[in-house]
Amino acid sequence: QGRAGESGALTGRRVLVTAGGTREPLDPVRYLGNRSSGKQGVALARAARAAGADVTLIGANLQVEPPTDVDLITVETSEELRDAVLSATATADVVIMAAAVADFRPRSLAAHKIKKSEDGTDPVIELTRTPDILAEISTHRARPGQVIVGFAAETGDATHTPLEFARAKLARKGCDALVLNEVTAGAVFGQDSTAVQVVTRDGEVAEATGSKDDVAVFLVDTVAGIAASTVI
Ligand code: CTP
Ligand code: CA
């Protein structure tokens, strides 16, 4: 027996992990971004490697050091992320979409820095939807039996719990499992500890709490279980 996480459960498997948060350029010096640090995704890449997998990590603006024993592809925008994911899924047995992907990007990229106007009018930024990468790779599987895992940070509202939103999202995206983070007033982003619920297509819910590294080991074990029960 090795240390926790060194299970060999993914030996011989190819795992693709996306991590971090995309940035959508607005002009040559500005972008629309999000608060994802990449901690959870990087922890997942490390845990998958420790479990014996060959790991490709697609990192979008990582705020933490990636492991050195994985293949690292660095991207900035959701478009670059999509291109990198679409090419890397061809050889992946498992895909874990931990990256926070922009839902919208500025419709146009200003060629010059946006300046304050002389007449005092405020600029209006027009946004357009980005493609849903997770839904795309889940609907058109690059390989039969590929295991695809999504992430969702949810708050719930007056009529729906976070878990209900997560179940609906799992069905809508068509992935095999969805990792739910309940977001309460700034928790999760950049933090070392986290609490997740993993929802699978059979309706089962598994829970894990602890450091992002502990949770990553749990998630890798869960994914290995799904992969083992799937013919790859
Ligand atoms: N995702 C993606 N492409 C996008 C947006 C999200 O692949 N354009 C992926 C994320 O990496 C994550 C999952 O989809 O694994 C869920 O992201 P989330 O933002 O919760 O889902 P959305 O469909 O964007 O829903 P919402 O309107 O709640 O933001
Ligand atoms: Ca979103």
Side-chain angles (χ1 to χ4, degrees), residues 100-104 169 173:
V101 187
D103 293 331
F104 303 97
K169 195 168 279 185
K173 302 266 186 178

Side-chain angles (χ1 to χ4, degrees), residues 8 95 181 188:
V95 182
N181 278 304
V188 181

Side-chain angles (χ1 to χ4, degrees), residues 97 99 101-103 130-134 150-154 169 172-173:
M97 284 289 300
V101 187
D103 293 331
T130 57
D132 187 325
I133 305 165
L134 178 61
F151 271 69
E154 303 285 355
K169 195 168 279 185
R172 197 166 64 238
K173 302 266 186 178

Side-chain angles (χ1 to χ4, degrees), residues 160-230:
H160 295 86
T161 63
L163 191 58
E164 286 168 343
F165 277 134
R167 288 209 162 101
K169 195 168 279 185
L170 173 74
R172 197 166 64 238
K173 302 266 186 178
C175 53
D176 301 296
L178 195 76
V179 182
L180 165 66
N181 278 304
E182 282 191 35
V183 197
T184 40
V188 181
F189 293 110
Q191 302 289 309
D192 286 322
S193 67
T194 188
V196 300
Q197 291 178 298
V198 186
V199 189
T200 41
R201 283 214 272 202
D202 56 12
E204 293 285 312
V205 181
E207 295 189 0
T209 310
S211 71
K212 288 189 175 176
D213 282 316
D214 294 340
V215 167
V217 170
F218 168 81
L219 292 175
V220 160
D221 282 346
T222 305
V223 167
I226 300 172
S229 64
T230 312

Side-chain angles (χ1 to χ4, degrees), residues 119-168:
D119 63 5
T121 55
D122 297 330
V124 174
I125 300 164
E126 212 186 319
L127 301 178
T128 183
R129 283 278 290 272
T130 57
D132 187 325
I133 305 165
L134 178 61
E136 185 174 355
I137 62 170
S138 299
T139 315
H140 307 284
R141 304 263 170 161
R143 312 182 67 186
Q146 190 174 62
V147 177
I148 302 181
V149 182
F151 271 69
E154 303 285 355
T155 57
D157 66 13
T159 51
H160 295 86
T161 63
L163 191 58
E164 286 168 343
F165 277 134
R167 288 209 162 101

